[in-house]
Structures are given as structure tokens and as C-alpha cells.
């Protein structure tokens, strides 16, 4: 990821139209660390947008639930990076109910603890 996971908190938030993956530094981040957050989260947004869920497979040693449907419906799901205090987030949204269910399954994956 380019930054120490032990010094960060990952939050997986559910929203009515999808959800968000948020990374927050547990200590005040330097500009360099914040740039690494931004690069990592931008990379996730771009990979997921193209239907590439290899990062979660690598991290969790399995493909999280919902990823196959998110890949299938990739053209109907929107990914947007947003800066946040001492971190950032990838907002995932869709108007397609099947896509929203898949996003929720992905974010509620037990390893994510949404």
C-alpha cells in the first residue's frame, strides 16, 4: 500500500447508494503519508472501475463477496476519490439495485468489518 497499515484505520461505510472505503492515519499524517494515501486510494478507484479486484484477492487471500457482480456491472458503478481529514476515501455508488447489493456485500465482507 505504500504506508504502514498499523498506523492507519480502514473504515468500510455503507450508504444507501453504495458506500465508501476510508483510510485515516491514527497519528497526524505528514504530506508524504497523505500523498501515499491519495495514490493508494486513486489506484483502488481506477482498478475497481476497470473491474480489477486483484488487490482485495491479494490482501484477503480470497475474492470478497460482491466483487464478481461489481466486475460484471462495472459500467454502472461509479468510483470517486475524496480527500478527508488525515486521509481519504473512495466513494462507490450506483443507481442499479443489483450493483448496490453487491457493493454492500463487498463492504460488509467479514475481513472489512463494515
Amino acid at each position: 500500500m505504500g504506508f504502514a497499515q498499523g498506523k492507519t484505520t480502514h473504515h468500510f461505510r455503507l450508504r444507501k447508494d453504495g458506500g465508501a472505503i476510508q483510510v485515516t492515519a491514527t497519528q497526524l499524517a505528514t504530506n508524504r503519508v497523505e500523498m501515499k494515501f491519495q495514490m493508494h486510494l486513486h489506484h483502488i478507484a481506477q482498478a475497481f472501475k476497470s473491474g480489477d479486484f486483484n488487490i482485495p484477492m491479494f490482501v484477503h487471500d480470497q475474492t470478497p463477496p460482491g466483487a464478481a457482480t461489481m466486475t460484471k456491472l462495472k459500467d454502472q458503478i461509479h468510483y470517486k476519490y475524496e480527500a478527508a481529514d488525515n486521509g481519504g476515501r473512495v466513494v462507490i455508488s450506483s443507481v442499479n439495485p443489483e450493483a448496490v447489493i453487491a457493493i454492500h456485500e463487498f463492504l460488509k465482507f467479514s475481513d472489512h468489518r463494515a
Side-chain angles (χ1 to χ4, degrees):
M1 288 187 192
F3 53 88
Q5 288 191 46
K7 295 183 180 183
T8 63
T9 303
H10 286 71
H11 299 279
F12 297 83
R13 309 276 189 213
L14 301 181
R15 297 179 178 187
K16 189 174 182 176
D17 65 346
I21 301 168
Q22 183 166 334
V23 178
T24 307
T26 54
Q27 300 173 1
L28 187 61
T30 64
N31 285 341
R32 185 175 175 196
V33 171
E34 286 179 17
M35 286 177 57
K36 289 182 180 185
F37 285 172
Q38 291 173 353
M39 290 181 354
H40 172 67
L41 293 169
H42 278 287
H43 177 72
I44 286 176
Q46 291 304 310
F48 288 6
K49 182 178 183 177
S50 71
D52 177 358
F53 286 85
N54 287 325
I55 293 170
M57 172 60 186
F58 177 75
V59 171
H60 303 291
D61 200 28
Q62 61 180 303
T63 302
T69 302
M70 291 169 73
T71 298
K72 179 181 82 173
L73 300 175
K74 67 182 180 182
D75 295 333
Q76 298 178 46
I77 300 174
H78 305 282
Y79 299 88
K80 179 177 134 186
Y81 170 78
E82 294 180 349
D85 290 341
N86 216 24
R89 70 180 66 87
V90 175
V91 177
I92 309 168
S93 63
S94 181
V95 297
N96 179 317
E98 182 182 5
V100 172
I101 290 168
I103 294 164
H104 287 175
E105 288 175 350
F106 178 82
L107 294 172
K108 289 191 292 186
F109 177 51
S110 63
D111 280 5
H112 291 160
R113 296 174 192 87

